[in-house]
Amino acid sequence: MAPAAGTLSATPAAISALLPKLGDADADIRYMSLSDLDRILREGASGFLANEYHTCAKAVECLLKTLDDTNGEVQNQAIQCIGSLTQRAPSELLAPLIDKLSTLKTTNAIDNSIPATALRTFLTSFPRPVLGVQPARSTHEAYNAISKVLVPRLVGYIVLPPGVRTHINPPPGMLEVHDDNTVDNDALDVLIELIRCFGPMLQDAEKQALQKSTMAVFDHPRTSTVAKKKAVSAISLLALYMSDTLLGIFVSNTLESFSRPNLATAQHRLLITMLGSLARTVPGRFGRYAQNLAPYILSCLSQQEYRKALEDTAENGTADAEAEGVREAALLALEAFLLSCTNDMRPFTNESIQAAIRFIAYDPNLASNAADEEMEGTQGDADDEDEARSVEEAEEEEEDFEEEGAISDDDDVSWKIRRCAAKVLYAIISTRSNGDLLDNGALYEKIAPVLVARFQEREENVRLEVLSTMTALVHKTSDDTQAPFAFASEVDFDLSSAAEARSRKRRRLGSDATLFDSPINTIQITGFKSPNASPPPTSGPRADLARLSSTIIRAISKLLKESTIATKQTGIALLREIVNVQHGGLSENFSMFVDPLIDAVKPSAGGPHVHSIGTAASASGSKLRIEALQLVSAICDYHSSKIITPHVPSLVPAVAAAVKDKYVKIASEAIVAVESLLKALTPPRSASAERVNQEFVGKLYDVILDRAVAIDADVEIRQHAIHALGVLLARGSEPSRSSVLSETQRKKATEVLLDRLRNETTRLSAVRAIDIYLNSVQDAKVIPAKWTQEVAVELGAQLRKAHRGLRGASLAVLRGLAGNSAALNCLDDQTTKALVGMLLPLVSANDLNLLGMALVILAKLVRQSPGSVVNQSLNNALCDIAKAPLAGAVLDALLLLIKTIGEQEVGQPLMHDLLLEVGIRGQPAVVGMAIGTLLVAGGPTVGVKLDDFVRELQSAPDDKRKCLALSVLGEAGLRLGPSSPLEPALFTKYFSSKSQSLPRAAATALGRAGAGNIGTYLPVILSSTSQTGSSQYLSLHAIKEILQFSNQSRADLSPYAKQLWDKLLAASQVEDNKAVGAECIGRLTIIEPRTFLPSLKKHLQDRAAPARGMAIQAIRFTLSDSDEGFDEVLRPMLIPMLTLMLNDDDLENRRLALGVLNSATHNKPDMVLPHLADLVPLVMKESRVKPELVREVQMGPFKHKVDDGLEVRKSAYETLYTLMEGAYSRISPVDLFDRIIAGLEDEHEIKVLCNLMLAKLVALDPEETGRHLELIAERYRSILTFKPKDTAVKQEVEKLNEANKGVLKVTLLLHDALPASTNAGNSLQSEKWQGYWDWVAKEFRGQLAGAEQEAKSQAA
């Protein structure tokens, strides 16, 4: 036996010692010796055989002999050794090795493909080259050998010019067709591997020679179908590396092939197949030829061809198999063209739709096939009843046909054509719906009726494809602006205050009350509201779907009663999509399918008597039950309880049984369905049927309670059960709903929630369940006091945890508890003190999100028990955060707490600390607001008076103290209102100060004081706006402060509105005043929109660009802070104004207009989104580079290019990002990806935005993202290979590093999220992406690992 591997060292001598054993008579010795040899070659140093030419040559000879071994395992091991040897052997041996492998003839081996397999192993043993990147030395040496030997050996002649030295005369080419009209299929495999591994290094002459030889195989009339298909694969791979010239020549030759007079049918099919493969492989470069090639594809699918096929079948009794193959190939190629070259195929949209509609019903074996007349698009005119009858009649025809015993299904391949036609329709829907064929009604007019009519398809594979296509169309119909709301008759409690609070944007002065009193919005979470019962829109895609829904539901109902698991699963998924898109829509037909739906929920749905076939192999009873449970949840969420109640006796037991299923996904979805059922079966949604449902609610209560405490249940199941328990408690804890849950049941449920709160794995779910409960119960008799105290302490303990999500959720629950007076009254002083101690660590500027909620909770606790809350520790914490530059909601929360402390007359120590410990050490504006708020709220109890600050202002020696005094006086004036003794002159006299900070502080204080006493202050401020210079500018700032509080003083402002408008317009003409003047104009417009909004629209047509720019900016300020009255006036004017702005002649104005559109999308989506078809093209237009805006600027001896359009493009991409997030279904994905791909070649800021967009699109539209991987890989490779100049400054290098980091992050995301698209074995197009990924994984290994670690930490 061979010596053990461990005793051999990696030396040439060890190799020489093993070589004689390769000829041993014992196969085991040969195998073990080869194994040892392979280990030595792999583990040896990279250059240990570099000078051992004779040893390597001898090894080659021995290995070649073992390739002809009679033992298959020995042969396989020898092939592996050849791959290892090529990486260690001298480069001079590579060419002879290739020559010997390519000419090797085996005599003993059973498998004749061994030499070709060895050649393929040789090719794959070297690092793959990447376009634009210097290949490794070993790869370059291997290519030289391949170029000298293998390429000539494949094509049969020397390819390189005569001047290049070649020492081997090639024998007849491996790809040449033999005398017996055969070709070596193994040689084609070698060619494919050669292109895959060394395609980027092949020279044009070699590519052309390989293409010529491959096409010779393809064109030969006698070569086998297998060889021709491999030739197609080789050509498609080679196209990845062809130059544009070579590709153009090849396409031209292909066009000529279609014109051959005697083109064989089989050859015709292969030509079409090759075009489809090329479209998938090189979509970016192939699109330019689509307009010339598409007619040849569509000609095979014309009405004439369709009729000819039916006539031939009727005449001959059977379809022509070869002609059927051509039609199938044509449909597959058409699908590839539509998916890969969408923009170039737009002129052929109607022809493509008609071809697919024509052949989706192509069934020549049916005795009566009269559908061809209908397939021309007339189905769109039929009403629902006609469509339903057509479905039934078609089913009867097929049943009669099967009974008559026509041609066997085993001989019928027309189903493949119908399936391909359905795929073509799917391609059209997936690429041309958003903002295109869906909006103009073409999809529902032409395609949808045809799809519904084909639901009765007798072939399972085709039926599944049709159902999936219809589901895709319904999904694309989703309306981003819809949101469910309640039936008025089903809501029995007052939510007017909550609705009013939500109806308006928060105003600064009213923010205290909003933070303090507004209830947490749990209406949707707890399902108090029944969903939207409003009629569908009268026009648009959703209206089209609503008109067709009844027909779809009737057809699906029949399928659910009779079909296989796969069909049922796909049909239920379609119904669920209809419910989600329409927010209901099944009410009228619910009884038609409820029984089959309940049967699908039951375990018997996956019984052995039901089979799945064809592409339905992935379907199973478990997946069917999951889909059915998801549909049950959607129906309960989006339909009135009146529809559901009659079926409760059969529905509840089925769902309850599914909760205890052993399969986790089923049990988890079942609990979600239970929660939805509970919402529908409990008051107020089902107040009329409360007693009827009580029994079933009790059963569901027992089920979820059991799962919530079960230690053997999966964590996911327990978490869902806990959430459902919280919802049920919220629904059944009011005295008016005492019949929902008994007192014993409520007590048990609350104990379970507390217990789960203390459990590490279920803590977060329990926190959220308790949040739902506490924000819904308002009766002190229902909430257990001891339980509330224990919950409060346990929640406070979670604030110390490292889990940020848990801390935030716990704090939110405490806020809800503090906002619930019934729950708050349950807290005793001891609990309150403990809770305050746990909240104090959060009173820090380190985390502003948690800080705001903590301050609001403390404010409520102060009002409840000031002596237990206010202490020196709290005062110290408040003084610390008062030094920070706070703003927005956090500042409002701080002022709320300070105001509450003052009102409870415990503010003197805090005032002392604010004056002595903080004072001018903090931000004067923040500290001044805090002191002013406490001064007014505490009155005489705080130890200082208003006059003290007036004297401080007049006598302070430095500007900081004066600014602080001004801020205090301004806030005090605001809160005192008309009773304030302060006069405007107290502030205006500091307008003329030479200090940098004092005039601005005086203007802000003047405005805040004026907001509390408009009648006294505003006339004085208006008189200052007539002046020029700084006084005018400061007056505008004062007006801005007044207008920010307009919600509280609208009546006082109205008499001055016209005068204020005129003053603001005049002052805004000054360049320095434009920004603040536009904000003031915008805020004033909100007060009286009917008067000023038309005037603002008129200014958009002003001749002066600055005036138009001012109007654009003013409109933007109206969008984020307005109410229903303003929206009513704005609605008919917004879109015309946006269109006018985006078409402005001035570049800067168009940039501002894009910002307005961005803001409108955020704040007024219901007004903007329905009109995106008109607005998005204008945004796309601004995202393009305009050469006329690029100029050269001389800077010393250097010339720099300046792009004046960069800022506009940046704004355009920001707007596209916003639209993509909120309204992707209304944007053409093809146009969007076109701009993203272009943006990856733009400036740094735009590259960053495009990377963010791609990261979002991976989740939004993985299919479309996968189709663009080739182009993304090209752009990313160019970014990563860019090298800065030696003279590059630090900023440029940092930008480059940031760009590389962003590219690597998105690359990793794409690779992980799209495994099917990035797997090279699944599609030829992914070859470039896979090559790019391999290169990145090698060259940027460390950075990629860092990006992966960062992504994991962010996910955690």
Side-chain angles (χ1 to χ4, degrees), residues 246-278:
L246 283 180
L247 185 61
I249 294 172
F250 175 73
V251 172
S252 298
N253 293 337
T254 304
L255 281 171
E256 293 177 5
S257 299
F258 277 108
S259 304
R260 294 176 189 170
N262 298 318
L263 181 63
T265 305
Q267 195 71 6
H268 192 187
R269 175 184 182 179
L270 287 168
L271 281 171
I272 293 173
T273 302
M274 183 170 61
L275 292 179
S277 182
L278 286 173

Tab-separated table of all heavy atoms in Angstrom, residues 246-278:
chain	number	residue	atom	x	y	z
A	246	LEU	N	-18.313	43.563	-32.871
A	246	LEU	CA	-18.518	42.128	-33.098
A	246	LEU	C	-19.968	41.736	-32.850
A	246	LEU	O	-20.548	40.945	-33.597
A	246	LEU	CB	-17.595	41.321	-32.187
A	246	LEU	CG	-16.123	41.223	-32.589
A	246	LEU	CD1	-15.368	40.376	-31.573
A	246	LEU	CD2	-15.981	40.622	-33.977
A	247	LEU	N	-20.555	42.299	-31.809
A	247	LEU	CA	-21.949	41.984	-31.518
A	247	LEU	C	-22.856	42.475	-32.638
A	247	LEU	O	-23.801	41.778	-33.030
A	247	LEU	CB	-22.355	42.603	-30.189
A	247	LEU	CG	-23.766	42.272	-29.685
A	247	LEU	CD1	-23.922	40.776	-29.459
A	247	LEU	CD2	-24.082	43.028	-28.388
A	248	GLY	N	-22.577	43.660	-33.142
A	248	GLY	CA	-23.377	44.185	-34.245
A	248	GLY	C	-23.272	43.315	-35.488
A	248	GLY	O	-24.273	43.055	-36.165
A	249	ILE	N	-22.062	42.861	-35.797
A	249	ILE	CA	-21.876	41.982	-36.960
A	249	ILE	C	-22.632	40.677	-36.765
A	249	ILE	O	-23.290	40.168	-37.684
A	249	ILE	CB	-20.369	41.720	-37.194
A	249	ILE	CG1	-19.661	43.020	-37.591
A	249	ILE	CG2	-20.154	40.639	-38.240
A	249	ILE	CD1	-18.155	42.886	-37.649
A	250	PHE	N	-22.542	40.146	-35.565
A	250	PHE	CA	-23.220	38.878	-35.298
A	250	PHE	C	-24.734	39.026	-35.430
A	250	PHE	O	-25.398	38.166	-36.017
A	250	PHE	CB	-22.861	38.401	-33.891
A	250	PHE	CG	-23.601	37.169	-33.473
A	250	PHE	CD1	-23.276	35.934	-34.007
A	250	PHE	CD2	-24.641	37.244	-32.561
A	250	PHE	CE1	-23.965	34.801	-33.630
A	250	PHE	CE2	-25.336	36.110	-32.180
A	250	PHE	CZ	-24.997	34.886	-32.717
A	251	VAL	N	-25.305	40.110	-34.892
A	251	VAL	CA	-26.748	40.319	-35.005
A	251	VAL	C	-27.148	40.488	-36.459
A	251	VAL	O	-28.192	39.976	-36.902
A	251	VAL	CB	-27.176	41.532	-34.157
A	251	VAL	CG1	-28.635	41.877	-34.421
A	251	VAL	CG2	-26.959	41.269	-32.683
A	252	SER	N	-26.320	41.194	-37.240
A	252	SER	CA	-26.623	41.374	-38.664
A	252	SER	C	-26.645	40.030	-39.383
A	252	SER	O	-27.529	39.771	-40.214
A	252	SER	CB	-25.588	42.294	-39.306
A	252	SER	OG	-25.614	43.568	-38.709
A	253	ASN	N	-25.689	39.182	-39.067
A	253	ASN	CA	-25.668	37.854	-39.687
A	253	ASN	C	-26.892	37.039	-39.278
A	253	ASN	O	-27.441	36.274	-40.089
A	253	ASN	CB	-24.392	37.113	-39.289
A	253	ASN	CG	-23.144	37.762	-39.872
A	253	ASN	OD1	-23.216	38.469	-40.884
A	253	ASN	ND2	-22.009	37.543	-39.239
A	254	THR	N	-27.307	37.204	-38.031
A	254	THR	CA	-28.493	36.485	-37.567
A	254	THR	C	-29.732	36.969	-38.311
A	254	THR	O	-30.609	36.166	-38.686
A	254	THR	CB	-28.674	36.677	-36.054
A	254	THR	OG1	-27.486	36.270	-35.382
A	254	THR	CG2	-29.843	35.864	-35.535
A	255	LEU	N	-29.827	38.278	-38.536
A	255	LEU	CA	-30.960	38.807	-39.301
A	255	LEU	C	-30.991	38.222	-40.704
A	255	LEU	O	-32.056	37.901	-41.240
A	255	LEU	CB	-30.872	40.335	-39.362
A	255	LEU	CG	-31.328	41.102	-38.113
A	255	LEU	CD1	-30.980	42.573	-38.242
A	255	LEU	CD2	-32.816	40.931	-37.891
A	256	GLU	N	-29.818	38.076	-41.307
A	256	GLU	CA	-29.763	37.477	-42.641
A	256	GLU	C	-30.203	36.019	-42.612
A	256	GLU	O	-30.819	35.522	-43.570
A	256	GLU	CB	-28.338	37.586	-43.191
A	256	GLU	CG	-27.901	39.021	-43.473
A	256	GLU	CD	-26.457	39.092	-43.942
A	256	GLU	OE1	-25.840	38.019	-44.128
A	256	GLU	OE2	-25.948	40.219	-44.129
A	257	SER	N	-29.893	35.335	-41.513
A	257	SER	CA	-30.297	33.928	-41.406
A	257	SER	C	-31.810	33.784	-41.433
A	257	SER	O	-32.346	32.816	-41.986
A	257	SER	CB	-29.739	33.318	-40.118
A	257	SER	OG	-28.327	33.368	-40.103
A	258	PHE	N	-32.519	34.743	-40.852
A	258	PHE	CA	-33.978	34.676	-40.866
A	258	PHE	C	-34.533	34.814	-42.283
A	258	PHE	O	-35.650	34.383	-42.555
A	258	PHE	CB	-34.560	35.784	-39.986
A	258	PHE	CG	-34.603	35.449	-38.527
A	258	PHE	CD1	-33.736	36.060	-37.639
A	258	PHE	CD2	-35.490	34.511	-38.043
A	258	PHE	CE1	-33.769	35.754	-36.288
A	258	PHE	CE2	-35.532	34.194	-36.687
A	258	PHE	CZ	-34.662	34.810	-35.809
A	259	SER	N	-33.756	35.437	-43.142
A	259	SER	CA	-34.237	35.689	-44.511
A	259	SER	C	-33.905	34.563	-45.476
A	259	SER	O	-34.175	34.680	-46.668
A	259	SER	CB	-33.623	36.999	-45.034
A	259	SER	OG	-33.918	38.070	-44.155
A	260	ARG	N	-33.279	33.505	-45.010
A	260	ARG	CA	-32.972	32.380	-45.899
A	260	ARG	C	-34.259	31.799	-46.470
A	260	ARG	O	-35.233	31.603	-45.758
A	260	ARG	CB	-32.222	31.290	-45.139
A	260	ARG	CG	-30.836	31.703	-44.669
A	260	ARG	CD	-30.228	30.594	-43.848
A	260	ARG	NE	-28.976	31.023	-43.201
A	260	ARG	CZ	-28.347	30.325	-42.276
A	260	ARG	NH1	-28.843	29.149	-41.889
A	260	ARG	NH2	-27.235	30.772	-41.736
A	261	PRO	N	-34.250	31.479	-47.751
A	261	PRO	CA	-35.494	30.999	-48.372
A	261	PRO	C	-35.947	29.643	-47.851
A	261	PRO	O	-37.137	29.372	-47.763
A	261	PRO	CB	-35.144	30.932	-49.863
A	261	PRO	CG	-33.644	30.858	-49.900
A	261	PRO	CD	-33.151	31.623	-48.720
A	262	ASN	N	-35.015	28.767	-47.521
A	262	ASN	CA	-35.386	27.415	-47.098
A	262	ASN	C	-34.967	27.157	-45.648
A	262	ASN	O	-34.384	26.120	-45.322
A	262	ASN	CB	-34.724	26.379	-48.014
A	262	ASN	CG	-35.185	26.529	-49.442
A	262	ASN	OD1	-36.369	26.736	-49.717
A	262	ASN	ND2	-34.248	26.430	-50.391
A	263	LEU	N	-35.249	28.105	-44.799
A	263	LEU	CA	-34.866	27.971	-43.405
A	263	LEU	C	-35.682	26.850	-42.766
A	263	LEU	O	-36.917	26.882	-42.750
A	263	LEU	CB	-35.128	29.285	-42.663
A	263	LEU	CG	-34.745	29.322	-41.181
A	263	LEU	CD1	-33.244	29.117	-41.001
A	263	LEU	CD2	-35.182	30.624	-40.543
A	264	ALA	N	-34.974	25.866	-42.251
A	264	ALA	CA	-35.647	24.730	-41.630
A	264	ALA	C	-36.351	25.165	-40.353
A	264	ALA	O	-35.913	26.090	-39.658
A	264	ALA	CB	-34.634	23.618	-41.331
A	265	THR	N	-37.428	24.481	-40.031
A	265	THR	CA	-38.209	24.830	-38.842
A	265	THR	C	-37.376	24.688	-37.572
A	265	THR	O	-37.420	25.544	-36.674
A	265	THR	CB	-39.453	23.937	-38.748
A	265	THR	OG1	-40.195	24.046	-39.961
A	265	THR	CG2	-40.333	24.355	-37.583
A	266	ALA	N	-36.620	23.598	-37.497
A	266	ALA	CA	-35.787	23.393	-36.314
A	266	ALA	C	-34.741	24.481	-36.176
A	266	ALA	O	-34.462	24.967	-35.071
A	266	ALA	CB	-35.112	22.019	-36.378
A	267	GLN	N	-34.165	24.881	-37.328
A	267	GLN	CA	-33.174	25.940	-37.296
A	267	GLN	C	-33.817	27.273	-36.919
A	267	GLN	O	-33.226	28.093	-36.189
A	267	GLN	CB	-32.488	26.047	-38.671
A	267	GLN	CG	-31.218	26.858	-38.675
A	267	GLN	CD	-30.079	26.151	-37.970
A	267	GLN	OE1	-30.224	24.999	-37.569
A	267	GLN	NE2	-28.953	26.815	-37.822
A	268	HIS	N	-35.017	27.475	-37.391
A	268	HIS	CA	-35.760	28.688	-37.064
A	268	HIS	C	-35.960	28.788	-35.545
A	268	HIS	O	-35.763	29.842	-34.925
A	268	HIS	CB	-37.108	28.658	-37.784
A	268	HIS	CG	-37.836	29.964	-37.753
A	268	HIS	ND1	-39.110	30.124	-38.207
A	268	HIS	CD2	-37.453	31.199	-37.309
A	268	HIS	CE1	-39.491	31.372	-38.060
A	268	HIS	NE2	-38.508	32.042	-37.514
A	269	ARG	N	-36.313	27.676	-34.947
A	269	ARG	CA	-36.525	27.651	-33.497
A	269	ARG	C	-35.229	27.976	-32.755
A	269	ARG	O	-35.229	28.752	-31.788
A	269	ARG	CB	-37.035	26.272	-33.083
A	269	ARG	CG	-37.172	26.118	-31.579
A	269	ARG	CD	-37.588	24.715	-31.187
A	269	ARG	NE	-37.745	24.611	-29.745
A	269	ARG	CZ	-38.116	23.510	-29.108
A	269	ARG	NH1	-38.371	22.408	-29.798
A	269	ARG	NH2	-38.231	23.507	-27.793
A	270	LEU	N	-34.130	27.407	-33.189
A	270	LEU	CA	-32.860	27.640	-32.512
A	270	LEU	C	-32.403	29.081	-32.654
A	270	LEU	O	-31.828	29.666	-31.733
A	270	LEU	CB	-31.799	26.683	-33.044
A	270	LEU	CG	-31.954	25.229	-32.589
A	270	LEU	CD1	-31.047	24.319	-33.383
A	270	LEU	CD2	-31.662	25.098	-31.102
A	271	LEU	N	-32.651	29.682	-33.821
A	271	LEU	CA	-32.301	31.090	-34.010
A	271	LEU	C	-33.079	31.974	-33.022
A	271	LEU	O	-32.519	32.884	-32.400
A	271	LEU	CB	-32.591	31.522	-35.449
A	271	LEU	CG	-31.568	31.121	-36.515
A	271	LEU	CD1	-32.111	31.430	-37.900
A	271	LEU	CD2	-30.242	31.833	-36.294
A	272	ILE	N	-34.339	31.681	-32.900
A	272	ILE	CA	-35.164	32.457	-31.978
A	272	ILE	C	-34.698	32.235	-30.544
A	272	ILE	O	-34.614	33.175	-29.735
A	272	ILE	CB	-36.643	32.078	-32.146
A	272	ILE	CG1	-37.145	32.524	-33.520
A	272	ILE	CG2	-37.492	32.713	-31.054
A	272	ILE	CD1	-38.540	32.051	-33.847
A	273	THR	N	-34.398	30.983	-30.201
A	273	THR	CA	-33.896	30.678	-28.855
A	273	THR	C	-32.622	31.444	-28.558
A	273	THR	O	-32.419	31.964	-27.451
A	273	THR	CB	-33.641	29.171	-28.717
A	273	THR	OG1	-34.860	28.464	-28.978
A	273	THR	CG2	-33.135	28.831	-27.328
A	274	MET	N	-31.741	31.538	-29.567
A	274	MET	CA	-30.486	32.248	-29.384
A	274	MET	C	-30.725	33.735	-29.144
A	274	MET	O	-30.066	34.355	-28.288
A	274	MET	CB	-29.585	32.048	-30.609
A	274	MET	CG	-28.208	32.689	-30.477
A	274	MET	SD	-27.114	32.182	-31.795
A	274	MET	CE	-28.008	32.782	-33.219
A	275	LEU	N	-31.673	34.312	-29.839
A	275	LEU	CA	-31.974	35.730	-29.628
A	275	LEU	C	-32.499	35.968	-28.211
A	275	LEU	O	-32.117	36.943	-27.554
A	275	LEU	CB	-33.001	36.204	-30.658
A	275	LEU	CG	-32.530	36.272	-32.114
A	275	LEU	CD1	-33.662	36.745	-33.009
A	275	LEU	CD2	-31.329	37.197	-32.254
A	276	GLY	N	-33.370	35.084	-27.750
A	276	GLY	CA	-33.857	35.226	-26.385
A	276	GLY	C	-32.746	35.098	-25.367
A	276	GLY	O	-32.692	35.839	-24.375
A	277	SER	N	-31.831	34.170	-25.618
A	277	SER	CA	-30.705	33.998	-24.706
A	277	SER	C	-29.802	35.220	-24.713
A	277	SER	O	-29.320	35.656	-23.659
A	277	SER	CB	-29.913	32.745	-25.105
A	277	SER	OG	-28.857	32.514	-24.224
A	278	LEU	N	-29.570	35.800	-25.875
A	278	LEU	CA	-28.755	37.010	-25.953
A	278	LEU	C	-29.422	38.175	-25.232
A	278	LEU	O	-28.749	38.984	-24.574
A	278	LEU	CB	-28.514	37.378	-27.420
A	278	LEU	CG	-27.526	36.507	-28.191
A	278	LEU	CD1	-27.525	36.877	-29.666
A	278	LEU	CD2	-26.125	36.636	-27.627
